[in-house]
Amino acid sequence: MLPDDRQTTSNTQNTQRNFNQPDNRNTTLTSTAGVSPRAETDANALISYNHLTYFLYVVSYFTAGLLWIVPIVMNYLKRGEAQGTWLATHFDWQIKTFWYSIVFFLIGSAIVIFSLGGLGVSIFTESGHVAAGSFGLLALGFGILGITVLWHLYRIVRGWIALVDKRPVP
């Protein structure tokens, strides 16, 4: 092999690696010239897959959260295929968003349930102080739930915009 041939092979490999990783200067994809059709097809399939999972997260709000489990399972199934690419950040982003949302949803729900119990006790004991504290906890619980929903939507929208722009999420 001639020195020029090695350089050409090296440039082709670098181009493939750059396709799979974001350009650090402006976080956009580099040219796909010299990228194997298989690598390009795989990347496009993973991009489409991520669009579907972001869509399912949004649709889950209209199904009372029943579809919430579907995109997380999908993300865990395909996460390994995106390893080492800029798309891996999207899989991780969605997975972290799911788990943090679950944790804060459970915390908010527990506070709401606890405060409703306090309201029930205050009705039977005719205690205004317990009722006042329970209303405060109820407001706190619903506040946590509301912030969790807004934070979840923000993360889904931010991630989806980054995917459309073909750049990683932080």
Side-chain angles (χ1 to χ4, degrees):
M1 181 165 19
L2 297 172
D4 292 334
D5 291 340
R6 278 184 275 161
Q7 185 178 3
T8 304
T9 303
S10 176
N11 287 343
T12 303
Q13 290 170 349
N14 287 338
T15 304
Q16 287 176 342
R17 187 173 56 243
N18 288 341
F19 176 78
N20 290 329
Q21 297 175 352
D23 183 0
N24 292 332
R25 291 171 299 187
N26 62 12
T27 64
T28 58
L29 283 178
T30 59
S31 171
T32 58
V35 175
S36 71
R38 169 112 175 135
E40 189 173 344
T41 302
D42 291 346
N44 288 335
L46 286 174
I47 290 170
S48 297
Y49 193 84
N50 264 301
H51 280 296
L52 178 62
T53 56
Y54 279 121
F55 175 74
L56 287 173
Y57 273 121
V58 172
V59 170
S60 72
Y61 280 96
F62 302 105
T63 62
L66 296 176
L67 282 179
W68 217 19
I69 196 71
V70 174
I72 191 67
V73 170
M74 291 173 65
N75 279 321
Y76 275 115
L77 290 174
K78 289 284 190 176
R79 185 182 194 183
E81 292 181 29
Q83 197 63 32
T85 69
W86 65 273
L87 288 167
T89 63
H90 286 276
F91 286 98
D92 292 340
W93 179 265
Q94 290 180 44
I95 289 169
K96 287 177 187 174
T97 299
F98 173 83
W99 287 112
Y100 282 121
S101 296
I102 289 289
V103 167
F104 286 110
F105 179 80
L106 290 175
I107 290 170
S109 296
I111 292 172
V112 166
I113 291 169
F114 182 76
S115 66
L116 289 176
L119 283 174
V121 168
S122 69
I123 290 171
F124 289 119
T125 62
E126 298 179 7
S127 171
H129 298 294
V130 174
S134 294
F135 278 121
L137 279 177
L138 190 65
L140 175 66
F142 279 124
I144 290 172
L145 291 174
I147 289 170
T148 300
V149 167
L150 292 175
W151 179 81
H152 185 266
L153 279 173
Y154 161 77
R155 297 234 341 158
I156 295 304
V157 169
R158 182 176 178 188
W160 209 347
I161 289 171
L163 182 65
V164 167
D165 293 341
K166 294 187 177 180
R167 58 186 171 84
V169 285

